[in-house]
Amino acid sequence: MEDFLDNIPPMDLMRSEKMTFVQLIIPVESAHRAISYLGELGILQFKDLNEAKSPFQRTFVNQVKRCAEMSRKLRFFKDQISKAGVLASTRPILQEHIELEDLEIRLADHEHELIEMNSNSEKLRQSYNELLEFKVVLQKASVFLVSSSSHSVSEERELNENVFMNDNYVDDGLPLEEMRPGPSSQSGLRFICGIICKSKVLRFERMLFRATRGNMLFNQAPADIQIMDPISTEMVEKTVFVVFFSGEQARNKVLKICEAFGANCYPVPEDITKQRKITREVSSRLIELEATLDAGIRHRNEALASMGFHLIKWMNMVRREKAVYDTLNMLNFDVTKKCLVGEGWCPIFAKSQIQEALQRATFDSSSQVGIIFHVMDTVESPPTYFRTNRLTNAFQEIVDAYGVARYQEANPAVYTVITFPFLFAVMFGDWGHGICLLLGALFLIARESKLNNQKLGSFMEMLFGGRYVLLLMSLFSIYCGLIYNEFFSVPYHIFGASAYKCRDNSCSDAYTVGLVKYRDAYPFGVDPSWRGSRSELPFLNSLKMKLSILLGIAQMNLGIILSYFNARFIGSSIDIRYQFVPQVIFLNSLFGYLSLLIVIKWCTGSQADLYHVMIYMFLSPFDDLGENELFWGQRPLQVILLILAIVAVPWMLFPKPFVLKKIHTERFQGRTYGVLGSSEVDLEMEPNSAKEHQEDFNFSEIFVHQMIHSIEFVLGAVSNTASYLRLWALSLAHSELSTVFYEKVLLLAWGYDSFVIRMIGLAVFSFATAFILLMMETLSAFLHALRLHWVEFQNKFYHGDGHKFKPFSFASNEDED
């Protein structure tokens, strides 16, 4: 048997790749190129030899800072291109090679140019907005001024017109508050015109009223156009106002309130002729500024478009250079300061590829000294690395989410590829719903190349990453749905006629007395005649509950068998004799026996009560079974199995700690010098411990750990078997929910003659199917299947305390960004 197992070819995913610890001695002149080539290869994980140093104490800290600064500039360019809405040309252009130093200079020039253009554009935009506001104020305020001209003296109404009407204001667009009015009458009626955000008008008017004690007149009119807010750069609605008041003190208060509320005040003469003259001058100036702004925006967009041609290349280049220097900072200088020394892990199959890349780096850098690459011994635990493809990667991620496999430990993902979607389908079995999931999975797979390069939301990204998981779940759902004979909860005669018929032509007693069997059983799955019968629910409950137990016992036995292969792989006969054997005996003496009874009852059609058999197996093992006896010799077999289950508990608990203690004692007495090949001793070892630390042995800790492990297995055998009943519960819930939506929504609506009611019923049924059955129920079944794999299956053999292989790779860095 052992020879047969040894000759079985190894599976790619069953064990992680064999790793080796290597050392590189790289001359300084070829270090950068060598690390770059290794980053393109992506199969070497470097060890940080400078952990004690802070990032600012490392050798290449200045180069890292330069790359970080260039990354900041490139993000600034990308943000500016996005805000401007500039689309870079998709035409292929020849991009010349550029050195990092030249790129640094070019990026600095581009940044300076862009900042200057942004500054000029902001100044021009501010002037344009002020002139636009002035024009609106002139148009709206003239109405209030003309209506009040017959009630006061014209010279005293103007607020220092000689200052406000100079030509410099029209050219520069300066607001009123920056000017100082000349001498004027202290007793005449005055006014101030301006513009303010519409949302502030009410509070503004209330503040003016309180500050002047009601001695003012406030007029307002909405502006006809929206004006850009210089701070938020958003278009806002504004309101033109004119405040009439008397006295210098009131004027100062009004100006301060205007400043506090962000209102812009503008000088408006009362003379209509002067108003028209200023309006013409402002309009002319606006046309000139608009042309200047358009020309500036065109020039800026052209500059951004030219940057957009090279932006992706530049970002990739800077990202790679930073990754190279970060890796170089993990290396040490040797004593001569002429070579860099690096250490790391790589798969054994990749050694030749790494050596080839290092030789190419030596040749391309014209170095006179070659790079030394050799294997080293280490006591550190190697990282875990599995080579996966697009199908197996998602299932490996599901397993790794629980914990990364210990080095060379049996990988649950090999079996999870099939068992996970199958257990999901047991809970989700409906071939109509399965077809809906299949269409969604096929859509994601068909657009795989396009969606892979798009920025997806968190939910869509998760869905796209699990597209092959969804594909297998949908296929198994169709399979289980055909077994359950449910298509949106409706059974069909797909595989032939039913084995049952009514007792008479009227079929009046079909749902009370029941049907009669007149031919062989339905060839595949559940007979459609069970639907709607008086024994439908008891039959399906019994069927699904027993199936759940059978599937659970089978998967837990698979987990225990994998623990045997783990122990055999590391050469631990102790784990096989004192852990694997008693676990198999205990589980199958109780629940394996229950599974046997279920199969025999199905095959013989017996009416035995399995609940009674299992309960009295413990309470009265020597009593006669009576009508619950399924086969000859059942009672003595039960007694033997019960004794084996009782014996298996101390078998698991006591021998292993004492055997380990005996081996450890003999080792120090000189009788044997081999290193213990037991997982129990491995648990006592620290990940970075030296070989001499293996001499530590604490019997009490090992005994307590073994006791916990034994109690956990014994209790878990009961609780885990009960946990698999969730397969029955979820399947029943899904079926009943589908039936409710079909009968109480769709069929009820179809019972009316109204077309509108039928469409409403169809819409409600479609909504409930899509969002409740296809989304919520899918997520629920997925999480329950996840629980069954993580807890009930993997805890039988899987340690999950390893660390993942993280090679230095440019491709992985780009994916993370």
Side-chain angles (χ1 to χ4, degrees), residues 486 489 529-542 735-736 739:
E486 292 185 8
S489 78
S529 294
W530 284 105
R531 174 57 183 264
S533 65
R534 63 188 180 89
S535 56
E536 175 192 8
L537 200 57
F539 169 74
L540 292 179
N541 274 346
S542 176
S735 175
E736 292 300 313
T739 303

Side-chain angles (χ1 to χ4, degrees), residues 154-161 189 191 269-271 274:
S154 62
E155 290 186 2
E156 292 182 348
R157 289 180 190 158
E158 296 185 9
L159 190 58
N160 200 1
E161 180 182 334
L189 184 64
F191 66 88
E270 190 174 359
D271 190 348
K274 294 180 180 180

Side-chain angles (χ1 to χ4, degrees), residues 235 477 686 716 806:
M235 303 301 292
S477 296
E686 294 294 333
K806 297 180 180 179

Side-chain angles (χ1 to χ4, degrees), residues 103 113 183 247 407 570 660 780:
L103 177 61
E113 179 186 6
Y407 178 64
I570 63 176
L660 290 176
S780 175

